[in-house]
Amino acid sequence: MRILGIDPGIAIVGFGFIDKEGSKLTPVQYGCIQTEAHTPTEERLLQVYEATLQLIDKYKPDAMALERLFFNRNVTTAFTVGQARGVQILAAVQRGIPVAEYTPLQVKQAVVGYGKAEKKQVQEMVRMFLKLKAIPKPDDVADALAVAVCHAHSSTLNNKIAEVLRND
């Protein structure tokens, strides 16, 4: 199973593709999509959408996982990031790719085993799970890989639950 993890944003979108074979996780490609600050929002959204489609077409994921938004301060930023998430979800759905969403708490719980883990702990666990030499930079990239790892762990559990329910 190939998973595309996304850390949504408008200025920087982190992405990470991982392959899951059994319990083994292998990084495929990771990086970020960046847009220029003084570009109109609609153009930035188009850039994010087109870049997401290009990545999907090139790496052909079986699933996309995104971090669910949590903002308690800047509502304007939340709306813009929400729009960016929307165009990324649209890109996945247009290509027939199922989309899963995880809260920051769920990601931390799946990656570190503790829902209130520090960002550095999550990044270090991502590095270890994927056997990377260094923590990916910027932080958005490491966050995207963490979401992908979370989905890899969650999909195993969800598949087992579905199997049990089918056999009942």
Side-chain angles (χ1 to χ4, degrees):
M1 169 192 259
R2 179 161 292 172
I3 302 163
L4 167 56
I6 296 280
D7 181 40
I10 190 74
I12 300 174
V13 175
F15 70 85
F17 290 88
I18 65 170
D19 283 344
K20 178 182 185 290
E21 293 179 46
S23 62
K24 183 181 177 191
L25 301 178
T26 307
V28 175
Q29 183 61 274
Y30 51 90
C32 60
I33 301 165
Q34 294 182 296
T35 64
E36 291 293 324
H38 298 290
T39 306
T41 301
E42 59 275 13
E43 288 181 34
R44 294 173 93 179
L45 291 170
L46 179 61
Q47 291 169 10
V48 168
Y49 170 75
E50 288 177 340
T52 303
L53 277 178
Q54 288 174 357
L55 288 167
I56 288 170
D57 290 344
K58 183 172 183 177
Y59 295 102
K60 304 194 181 330
D62 300 301
M64 176 192 275
L66 292 104
E67 189 164 283
R68 200 168 276 197
L69 287 183
F70 174 76
F71 279 92
N72 59 0
R73 279 176 283 205
N74 191 335
V75 175
T76 305
T77 302
F79 282 130
T80 307
V81 173
Q83 290 173 322
R85 286 179 82 256
V87 300
Q88 291 172 305
I89 292 169
L90 175 63
V93 171
Q94 283 183 327
R95 293 298 193 258
I97 299 166
V99 177
E101 298 179 73
Y102 299 95
T103 65
L105 182 82
Q106 289 172 307
V107 173
K108 291 174 182 180
Q109 183 72 40
V111 175
V112 179
Y114 176 61
K116 295 186 179 179
E118 297 292 322
K119 191 173 199 70
K120 293 290 182 205
Q121 290 174 293
V122 175
Q123 292 173 342
E124 181 58 25
M125 289 302 292
V126 165
R127 187 194 68 74
M128 290 172 54
F129 274 127
L130 299 176
K131 297 176 178 58
L132 302 172
K133 291 181 180 170
I135 294 170
K137 296 290 180 198
D139 289 351
D140 311 81
V141 179
D143 293 348
L145 286 167
V147 175
V149 169
C150 172
H151 185 71
H153 293 312
S154 299
S155 67
T156 299
L157 177 62
N158 291 339
N159 290 342
K160 287 182 181 178
I161 290 169
E163 186 178 314
V164 167
L165 294 174
R166 277 194 303 272
N167 293 331
D168 280 351

